[in-house]
Amino acid sequence: MPEQPELTIQGWGPAPAAPTEQGGNGLDGVLTKAARRHLVRELGWTPRATPPVPVEEIALAPSRLPEAARDALAALLGADNVRTDRESRLRRAGGKSYLDLLRRREGDASDAPDAVVLPGTTEETAALLATCSELGVVVVPFGGGTSVVGGLAGVDPDDRPTIAVDLGRMASVQALDVPSSMVTVGPGMRGPALEQELGRQGLTFGHLPQSWEFATLGGYAATRSAGQASTGVGRFDDLVAGLTLASPSGVLELGHAPASAAGPDLLGLALGSEGTLGVITELKLRVRPKPSVSSYEGWSFRTWPAGLAALQNLARLDLLPDVVRLSDPDETRANLLMAGGTGAKALRGSLRARGRGDGCMLVVGWEGVPDVVRARMRAASSLLRDGGAVRLGRRVGESWRSHRYGAPYTRDRLMDGGLLVETLETAATWTALPTVYDSVRRALRESLVRTGHQPLVMTHLSHGYPTGASLYFTVIADRDDALPIQQWLGAKRAATDALLAAGGTLTHHHAVGADHRPWLEREVGPLGVEVLRAVKQRLDPQGICNPGVLLPD
């Protein structure tokens, strides 16, 4: 298998610049002239060069891992699988949130681990955790490094040495049960590699988050991930038939396919545990036949409420597409301006001519066998038209599909130009969605305006359910170069308080991490937090497993 690409230390990664009206590199390679004018006008933004410091200038403290601990780990795993060199540690220094990137772009890698270890089996991982528990060494599982909520922080109240447990050696298909539609894989495997292996048997997994190129299957499990096609195929936790969890106290084998009524489902304790209970070392996943046809297309609604009402109706009748993504007017306008070329110009002109220049774009996608896809499309299309939607055609849908992983690369370039760019997400019932939408947008605007910066807040709905849907917010503002971290912390705090008060969930698919943990008690209640603490105490009595995330102080 070819070597997998790696995320860059100070960003998502180098990507080919999308063609624009003017071409070029840097901001000129990702912004059309119209998009640049739009951001300058909306934000009062002064484009400027704010590149990251050279990687060689990033400050990295000496490793604090005691020699005796290093020798013990090397005896377990082999000397080559215990690393303290600069690059290994930098590449596991936190995740990819805006705050993570700000710190590393400014030369701060204080969250880097003291060492990186690479176990190759469940037995090695369990022995590693038991040894670290005895030695007082903190353990942070590391998959793809794509966390955007501080999930790799490993902040220990006792300031003990920390190691990153890189799961890259456990990245293969271990068993494939075609009759049962189930595959057993290692946690370090990435989505593209799994799809390649399954494709040889005419199968697919189909979990496609925006981090798909880099994130690992173990990371999906630990964070209860949702993919762009989750409306159709289900969230990641819906697709897990079982898993193995190595903890400092022993190994748990959880889940029994196809189903069991033997007491409470303990599998749910590991899914979403974010490395606080141990390390996931094996996953049994549900797979399906590779779809023989797919169809992606665009639609337009005049207003956001009209779009919400139409999707709610589809959900009620179980006619939602596999992919559904409704952008509000601000996101629709920005996306159309960001798209260069004559096709995007023609679409903008067509929408204005139809009186939908300030409307909402909907992208939908269906996958499966031809007769079923055609029937679902006909039924859904009829209801969308009844709801006031106008069909824009497949070119719009295929354009979204071909650029579906591009936003994090664009964020790197926008940060280079002096912009704050960050996201947050939630979910709510159909009844609460309008209030959550209004409350979060208002909280973000008010917080950022207080710092002297007018933001652009863009929103889309995705991941539809019979009872509700998720909302995904993207925030862009001129960065406060004096206090950039405080600028976003204030806005995120205000938005989180607002969404919880309005009836939203603390997180829909980004997980809790360090960023959300102060609010966890409001989501699960004081007794819920105590139950989680009791489980952690039994599995991890010395508190070495990813402290500082999930559970509040």
Side-chain angles (χ1 to χ4, degrees):
M1 186 175 297
E3 186 175 346
Q4 300 180 113
E6 288 191 276
L7 293 163
T8 62
I9 290 172
Q10 295 170 296
W12 198 255
T20 67
E21 294 161 353
Q22 70 272 39
N25 298 312
L27 281 175
D28 287 342
V30 296
L31 292 181
T32 63
K33 291 178 182 178
R36 182 189 286 265
R37 288 195 298 267
H38 179 65
L39 291 179
V40 169
R41 182 175 61 252
E42 291 285 318
L43 310 178
W45 169 47
T46 302
R48 58 200 183 276
T50 59
V53 304
V55 171
E56 58 269 20
E57 294 181 14
I58 297 177
L60 183 66
S63 172
R64 301 176 302 152
L65 187 68
E67 186 174 348
R70 178 170 180 166
D71 290 345
L73 298 179
L76 285 174
L77 308 177
D80 290 344
N81 295 314
V82 179
R83 304 173 185 174
T84 56
D85 62 282
R86 176 180 172 86
E87 181 166 350
S88 293
R89 294 173 61 206
L90 280 180
R91 287 198 173 277
R92 282 83 174 177
K96 298 298 180 185
S97 73
Y98 172 70
L99 297 182
D100 288 331
L101 296 185
L102 268 183
R103 294 185 181 101
R104 289 199 293 279
R105 288 169 66 95
E106 293 175 354
D108 176 6
S110 55
D111 52 357
D114 294 294
V116 178
V117 302
L118 294 90
T121 65
T122 295
E123 293 72 23
E124 285 187 353
T125 306
L128 165 70
L129 291 171
T131 299
C132 287
S133 184
E134 294 173 4
L135 297 175
V137 175
V138 167
V139 170
V140 178
F142 190 95
T146 60
S147 170
V148 292
V149 290
L152 303 173
V155 178
D156 178 44
D158 298 321
D159 198 30
R160 293 171 290 186
T162 298
I163 61 171
V165 179
D166 190 302
L167 300 167
R169 288 180 62 210
M170 293 187 278
S172 63
V173 170
Q174 298 166 12
L176 178 59
D177 184 347
V178 175
S180 302
S181 297
M182 193 162 63
V183 64
T184 303
V185 300
M189 195 168 204
R190 297 184 189 177
L194 177 60
E195 289 296 333
Q196 184 180 49
E197 292 288 329
L198 292 176
R200 297 189 178 102
Q201 301 294 327
L203 298 171
T204 184
F205 185 55
H207 186 76
L208 304 171
Q210 196 169 73
S211 59
W212 183 71
E213 299 163 290
F214 301 104
T216 61
L217 299 167
Y220 296 153
T223 59
R224 296 174 67 192
S225 168
Q228 294 168 344
S230 289
T231 300
V233 304
R235 293 161 50 95
F236 190 85
D237 44 350
D238 298 323
L239 304 175
V240 180
L243 61 77
T244 301
L245 179 76
S247 79
S249 297
V251 176
L252 286 171
E253 300 281 352
L254 303 173
H256 294 275
S260 172
D265 186 3
L266 297 180
L267 178 62
L269 283 173
L271 294 171
S273 59
E274 301 187 38
T276 60
L277 304 180
V279 178
I280 295 169
T281 59
E282 185 178 276
L283 289 156
K284 292 181 173 65
L285 305 174
R286 300 182 178 95
V287 296
R288 59 195 177 97
K290 194 170 184 177
S292 53
V293 297
S294 63
S295 179
Y296 285 73
E297 59 185 29
W299 293 73
S300 176
F301 287 95
R302 288 189 185 278
T303 66
W304 176 252
L308 289 183
L311 295 183
Q312 179 186 358
N313 194 32
L314 288 178
R316 182 184 296 117
L317 298 173
D318 196 24
L319 288 172
L320 281 173
D322 299 308
V323 172
V324 56
R325 189 181 184 98
L326 175 69
S327 295
D328 74 351
D330 286 321
E331 183 169 284
T332 298
R333 189 179 309 113
N335 285 343
L336 289 172
L337 291 172
M338 287 282 286
T342 56
K345 285 185 178 179
L347 180 58
R348 292 196 295 267
S350 173
L351 289 172
R352 285 194 295 269
R354 300 184 196 188
R356 293 169 182 262
D358 292 322
C360 297
M361 187 84 74
L362 171 68
V363 171
V364 292
W366 291 269
E367 297 186 339
V369 297
D371 289 347
V372 174
V373 167
R374 281 194 295 268
R376 294 176 65 205
M377 288 179 64
R378 281 196 300 270
S381 297
S382 176
L383 290 176
L384 288 173
R385 290 190 180 94
D386 290 346
V390 170
R391 185 175 182 271
L392 302 177
R394 292 189 177 182
R395 178 179 292 182
V396 172
E398 291 299 332
S399 176
W400 172 84
R401 189 182 187 187
S402 64
H403 296 93
R404 66 199 306 179
Y405 308 119
Y409 299 102
T410 300
R411 177 182 64 169
D412 288 351
R413 304 291 78 78
L414 295 179
M415 289 183 69
D416 289 342
L419 287 169
L420 178 163
V421 188
E422 185 57 303
T423 63
L424 60 95
E425 40 73 51
T426 184
T429 63
W430 292 109
T431 300
L433 272 174
T435 302
V436 173
Y437 171 79
D438 290 336
S439 297
V440 173
R441 286 165 56 84
R442 182 169 55 251
L444 288 167
R445 286 198 178 105
E446 290 177 354
S447 175
L448 289 165
V449 166
R450 280 197 295 271
T451 71
H453 302 88
Q454 178 68 39
L456 173 61
V457 182
M458 302 175 289
T459 314
H460 65 257
L461 175 151
S462 60
H463 312 296
Y465 305 93
T467 54
S470 68
L471 292 175
Y472 194 95
F473 300 87
T474 300
V475 186
I476 303 179
D478 197 10
R479 187 161 68 236
D480 185 332
D481 289 331
L483 296 169
I485 291 176
Q486 291 82 347
Q487 179 191 25
W488 175 244
L489 283 176
K492 179 66 179 286
R493 187 180 305 113
T496 305
D497 285 337
L499 67 86
L500 288 171
T505 61
L506 180 57
T507 175
H508 173 259
H509 59 270
H510 281 170
V512 177
D515 294 1
H516 294 144
R517 71 183 185 122
W519 290 273
L520 182 66
E521 187 173 304
R522 289 177 62 177
E523 177 101 0
V524 304
L527 182 58
V529 171
E530 289 307 310
V531 170
L532 291 175
R533 288 192 194 282
V535 174
K536 181 172 175 64
Q537 175 62 31
R538 177 63 184 87
L539 295 178
D540 177 25
Q542 300 304 315
I544 64 161
C545 293
N546 209 8
V549 306
L550 187 63
L551 293 170
D553 293 330

